[in-house]
Amino acid sequence: MGGYMVRRLLSLVPVLFVVAVVVFSIIHLTPGDPAAILLGEEATQADIDEMRSRMGLDRPIYEQFGIWLLGLLSGDLGQSVFLDKPVVQAFVERLGPTLSLAILAQIIGIALALTLGITAARHRGGIVDQFVMGFSMLGISIPSFLLGSLLVILFGVKLQWLPVAGYQPLESGLWSHLKYLLLPGIVLGVIQAALIARMTRASILDVLSENFIKTAKAKGVKEKWIIYTHALRVAFIPILTVIGESFGGLVTGAAVIETLFNIPGVGQLIVNSISRRDYTVIQGSVLLVTVAYVFVNLIVDLLYGVVDPRVRLNKK
């Protein structure tokens, strides 16, 4: 397991380098002069030249990349022009709400998806199965902002069970913290569940046709016991893949949902930075989110090795 983990970590080095190159290119591929865009139409050429010097844009591009890369290795992602603070500090200050929302959404999504996927597999071809597949199709198709708006109207405005927007930190109390995250967490969780439930159903149905399952049935083992102790363990590898990949959708969806529910998280920071052309924050935030996505997939890969030892032997 140790060797497999080292190989997977080393394979990330070129991936992270490519990610760094792409993220660094954001500021240079954007049309127009970033310094002039930041300062607005009333800025003089002297102001623009000063800003270009402050941002390091007057240096050769390879020198800019080298300085930026050395800054990354030392944990320095630059300084926000608008927030007047280091990008790392701005990102860390917004990380708490995003992590709380992502964890809650993942818990809701996985619990809902496994329940629906297993139920659909057990009732293959029946009304329950058709209902679950219909729910999955609806969850995949409906835009997150539309589902969020519908839940706000129903549970926030009509029933007044939950607040429609805002955020309370965990220090204010668990319920105060959760009640502001429930609606956005349900929105993201339902979208996650729609993707994972279909894979859960398909994987379990594949496993249920295997010979060892038929043998278990012939021995009189109950269906529930077969599914939860035999089929689900084998079927879990493709389910893990979808869970890991859906994290990317969770991050991008969180940007919309955090803006809709006024949650001061990383997604809202990126959206605000784009509208203000705060390139340093955009570069740093996108890089950190992408690195987090890469490491989540690494964790999923490592879990493959735990669930199925054959994976460790095959991936040499």
Side-chain angles (χ1 to χ4, degrees), residues 175-241:
W175 172 238
S176 297
H177 181 63
L178 285 179
K179 72 180 181 181
Y180 281 91
L181 294 176
L182 265 180
L183 286 182
I186 289 172
V187 174
L188 292 174
V190 166
I191 294 172
Q192 296 284 89
L195 293 169
I196 303 169
R198 296 175 74 87
M199 178 55 71
T200 302
R201 174 186 179 275
S203 299
I204 289 180
L205 287 177
D206 281 346
V207 176
L208 288 178
S209 64
E210 297 286 340
N211 288 331
F212 74 96
I213 296 292
K214 294 175 182 174
T215 304
K217 287 181 179 177
K219 289 181 178 178
V221 181
K222 292 183 179 179
E223 185 187 25
K224 281 187 178 179
W225 187 256
I226 290 175
I227 290 178
Y228 289 106
T229 60
H230 294 76
L232 191 56
R233 178 182 172 86
V234 178
F236 209 64
I237 288 182
I239 298 172
L240 268 178
T241 305

Side-chain angles (χ1 to χ4, degrees), residues 8-287:
R8 293 294 298 118
L9 284 172
L10 289 176
S11 69
L12 290 185
V13 175
V15 174
L16 293 177
F17 180 77
V18 172
V19 168
V21 171
V22 172
V23 171
F24 173 78
S25 302
I26 289 175
I27 195 170
H28 298 281
L29 294 177
T30 307
D33 186 339
I37 295 172
L38 276 172
L39 294 174
E41 296 180 356
E42 297 180 357
T44 64
Q45 188 57 47
D47 294 333
I48 295 173
D49 292 341
E50 183 184 349
M51 179 58 76
R52 286 181 60 80
S53 176
R54 184 179 168 190
M55 296 174 69
L57 297 175
D58 55 345
R59 301 170 185 239
I61 191 166
Y62 63 85
E63 192 176 329
Q64 292 179 44
F65 181 67
I67 294 172
W68 186 72
L69 201 58
L70 287 175
L72 289 184
L73 296 176
S74 62
D76 180 12
L77 296 179
Q79 186 84 7
S80 168
V81 176
F82 286 92
L83 301 176
D84 195 26
K85 62 177 66 171
V87 173
V88 174
Q89 182 184 342
F91 186 88
V92 170
E93 288 175 354
R94 300 295 192 103
L95 193 57
T98 297
L99 279 180
S100 295
L101 178 58
I103 291 170
L104 181 63
Q106 281 286 35
I107 292 173
I108 293 173
I110 292 172
L112 193 59
L114 292 181
T115 303
L116 291 175
I118 292 171
T119 304
R122 291 185 60 194
H123 300 86
R124 182 183 184 183
I127 295 176
V128 175
D129 186 19
Q130 293 176 13
F131 171 78
V132 172
M133 289 301 98
F135 168 83
S136 300
M137 185 59 68
L138 181 65
I140 294 171
S141 306
I142 190 169
S144 59
F145 69 86
L146 179 58
L147 180 58
S149 300
L150 292 174
L151 291 183
V152 164
I153 293 171
L154 178 60
F155 294 105
V157 179
K158 296 290 184 184
L159 300 175
Q160 298 185 349
W161 288 354
L162 294 167
V164 298
Y167 174 76
Q168 288 291 327
L170 188 56
E171 292 77 11
S172 63
L174 183 60
W175 172 238
S176 297
H177 181 63
L178 285 179
K179 72 180 181 181
Y180 281 91
L181 294 176
L182 265 180
L183 286 182
I186 289 172
V187 174
L188 292 174
V190 166
I191 294 172
Q192 296 284 89
L195 293 169
I196 303 169
R198 296 175 74 87
M199 178 55 71
T200 302
R201 174 186 179 275
S203 299
I204 289 180
L205 287 177
D206 281 346
V207 176
L208 288 178
S209 64
E210 297 286 340
N211 288 331
F212 74 96
I213 296 292
K214 294 175 182 174
T215 304
K217 287 181 179 177
K219 289 181 178 178
V221 181
K222 292 183 179 179
E223 185 187 25
K224 281 187 178 179
W225 187 256
I226 290 175
I227 290 178
Y228 289 106
T229 60
H230 294 76
L232 191 56
R233 178 182 172 86
V234 178
F236 209 64
I237 288 182
I239 298 172
L240 268 178
T241 305
V242 178
I243 291 174
E245 291 180 353
S246 66
F247 181 78
L250 191 64
V251 171
T252 53
V256 177
I257 294 303
E258 285 179 5
T259 304
L260 178 65
F261 287 92
N262 195 26
I263 298 173
V266 172
Q268 192 185 67
L269 174 67
I270 294 174
V271 171
N272 291 341
S273 300
I274 291 172
S275 64
R276 294 185 300 226
R277 305 290 197 275
D278 198 345
Y279 292 103
T280 318
V281 177
I282 298 170
Q283 280 182 324
S285 300
V286 171
L287 178 71

